Amino acid sequence: MPKANKLTLAVLINAALITSTYASEQSEAKGLVEDAKGDILFRTGYLNRDKKNYINQKGEEVPVKDTSSYAQTAMVKLETGFTQGLVGFGAGIIGDASFKLGSNNNAGNGMIPQHPDGSAYDHWARGGGFVKARISNTTVTYGTQVLDLPVLASNTTRLVPEYFEGVLATSREIDGLELTAGKFTKDQYSDQINTDGRKLDRAVVWGAKYKFDDNLNAAYFGLDSKNKLDRHYINVNYKQPLDKDSGLTYDLSAYHTKWDEKATTYSSTTDDLSNRKNTIWALSTTYNTGPHSVMLAYQQNNGNTGYDYGENADGAQSIYLPNSYLSDFIGNSEKSAQLQYNVDFGGYGVPGLSWTTAFVYGWDIKVKNVTDNAQEREFFNQVKYTVQSGFAKDASLRLRHSYYRASDAYQAGNYIGDTNEWRIWLDIPVKLF
């Protein structure tokens, strides 16, 4: 286990034993039943990728089949509270049951599981259980989980989430400081039936977040994915109030990755498998005034390979950087810039309605033995409406569209390929108890 991880685990243990600087969560436990929670999220999901013909690495134009999918699911989470006492215990289950709508003979975009012959499942179910323990403000959970960590995040952009199986400890014993450590041995993508569909050997995570005050936050996280990669992430976020209705937010994020010899890498320009490294960083500034916000972001990739996830760690969502939509703009040596605009129509008498639009342009992408100056661009739009009251309160409809184009040298043989994509989600949450 890495020294940094051992240190973090030691801090977690010590923090649980010292006197906390604020109220203990466990001291407020009411019991298994009294604090129990039960929720179901009904989702109707549609994803359409109208992939255009692209030029492969041999310079040939290749047709790409349609990969649209349309399906219905119910995602459930039932969780007890904690028992009372010095150490509290609890348990729960998490899972989903789904069925396809229409023929969906062209599954293969992460939405619907496929049989060995490539045909789509008509219906399927997944999930698992977990147990948890808590002392003071430190909680340890073991079992099936949906993760939200910058270095190991569950993909939640498909019909159902990606599941990891393992143990995760989170400690908040010191006011403003949150420590995290965990180990995971199974990874199940959104479109997989097998609970260890990605055949994850071992992924160890550790990290810390600290809130200096209401305006300044910082974080560090690390990941050791056995025989795959070592990854480190840092983030600093500062909010500068200008007046009661406006302000500026500055955000700096960066990843540094080193791959093991057995790992696969994306967009590599070196043949030395023992020396593949990558550093990607991004700086963004957001100005908000009333219901409006405008963000400018610059992102840059350095090293002898592009940023990567997928086969080496997770389901391609562990990239907490601003220039990430359909494309993540992660090509080898790529530089990218973004302009984003968001408006909350609640300021105009339509609460719950919002619109986000963005344009990202990437350049100077290195494609081995082809070019050092490939480009890509994406025009992104998303409209979301959430019901604010009544029997359908919190139900939401989200429409997302991406127009993506890349130069011939950076077509689907190397990355996504020219694509027009639609995603439509109708979410209806139901609180059971």
Side-chain angles (χ1 to χ4, degrees), residues 30 70 76 81 89 112 145 169 189 191 213 222 225 233-234 245 249 280 300-301 303 320 343 356 377 416:
K30 296 183 176 64
Y70 183 29
V76 61
F89 298 94
I112 298 176
Q145 303 178 54
Y189 274 16
D191 62 345
D213 53 41
S225 184
Y233 165 87
I234 60 170
D245 292 322
T249 300
I280 184 171
Q300 183 168 322
N301 223 344
Y320 286 33
V343 58
T356 300
R377 64 189 186 277
I416 298 171

Side-chain angles (χ1 to χ4, degrees), residues 47 65-70 100 103-115 117-122 124 191:
L47 191 155
K65 67 178 182 179
D66 174 45
T67 57
S68 61
S69 296
Y70 183 29
K100 69 178 185 179
S103 61
N104 282 283
N105 294 324
N106 43 26
N109 54 21
M111 283 276 286
I112 298 176
Q114 293 176 284
H115 293 287
D117 64 359
S119 61
Y121 272 71
D122 292 325
W124 63 99
D191 62 345

Side-chain angles (χ1 to χ4, degrees), residues 155-345:
N155 192 326
T156 57
T157 62
R158 296 296 189 269
L159 182 73
V160 293
E162 174 184 9
Y163 295 127
F164 287 92
E165 187 174 309
V167 59
L168 182 68
T170 304
S171 179
R172 292 180 292 272
E173 300 296 340
I174 300 174
D175 192 13
L177 176 64
E178 180 177 295
L179 301 174
T180 301
K183 177 181 178 181
F184 297 89
T185 56
K186 291 185 179 180
D187 178 10
Q188 182 181 21
Y189 274 16
S190 303
D191 62 345
Q192 291 179 331
I193 301 298
N194 186 341
T195 57
D196 192 22
R198 304 313 297 174
K199 295 180 172 57
L200 180 67
D201 191 322
R202 181 208 65 200
V204 178
V205 296
W206 62 95
K209 296 190 292 186
Y210 187 69
K211 182 177 180 180
F212 293 90
D213 53 41
D214 290 340
N215 297 322
L216 180 61
N217 297 271
Y220 160 77
F221 284 87
L223 165 69
D224 173 20
S225 184
K226 185 178 179 181
N227 296 327
K228 300 296 184 180
L229 58 79
D230 293 297
R231 174 163 287 158
H232 304 272
Y233 165 87
I234 60 170
N235 172 257
V236 179
N237 182 279
Y238 177 68
K239 297 179 181 178
Q240 178 187 358
L242 299 179
D243 57 43
K244 65 177 181 179
D245 292 322
S246 63
L248 286 168
T249 300
Y250 309 95
D251 190 273
L252 172 65
S253 298
Y255 288 91
H256 176 72
T257 306
K258 186 179 187 306
W259 281 265
D260 297 337
E261 288 195 38
K262 295 182 180 180
T264 58
T265 51
Y266 157 69
S267 189
S268 179
T269 56
T270 179
D271 294 320
D272 184 359
L273 300 183
S274 65
N275 188 35
R276 292 174 293 172
K277 299 178 181 179
N278 169 267
T279 298
I280 184 171
W281 60 272
L283 177 65
S284 66
T285 301
T286 303
Y287 172 70
N288 64 280
T289 178
H292 308 277
S293 67
V294 178
M295 180 179 72
L296 294 173
Y298 176 79
Q299 186 169 300
Q300 183 168 322
N301 223 344
N302 300 293
N304 53 25
T305 185
Y307 184 87
D308 203 2
Y309 22 62
E311 299 293 336
N312 298 308
D314 58 27
Q317 196 160 315
S318 300
I319 179 159
Y320 286 33
L321 297 176
N323 293 0
S324 179
Y325 295 98
L326 172 59
S327 174
D328 293 320
F329 294 84
I330 53 175
N332 188 5
S333 297
E334 179 172 8
K335 304 174 183 69
S336 61
Q338 176 190 177
L339 173 63
Q340 181 201 87
Y341 170 72
N342 179 272
V343 58
D344 179 355
F345 288 97

Side-chain angles (χ1 to χ4, degrees), residues 357-387:
T357 184
F359 178 76
V360 190
Y361 178 73
W363 68 95
D364 283 355
I365 306 170
K366 291 184 179 180
V367 180
K368 187 177 180 181
N369 299 326
V370 179
T371 183
D372 289 346
N373 191 31
Q375 302 96 35
E376 60 174 330
R377 64 189 186 277
E378 180 176 350
F379 182 41
F380 172 88
N381 280 278
Q382 177 173 285
V383 176
K384 183 178 180 180
Y385 176 70
T386 302
V387 179

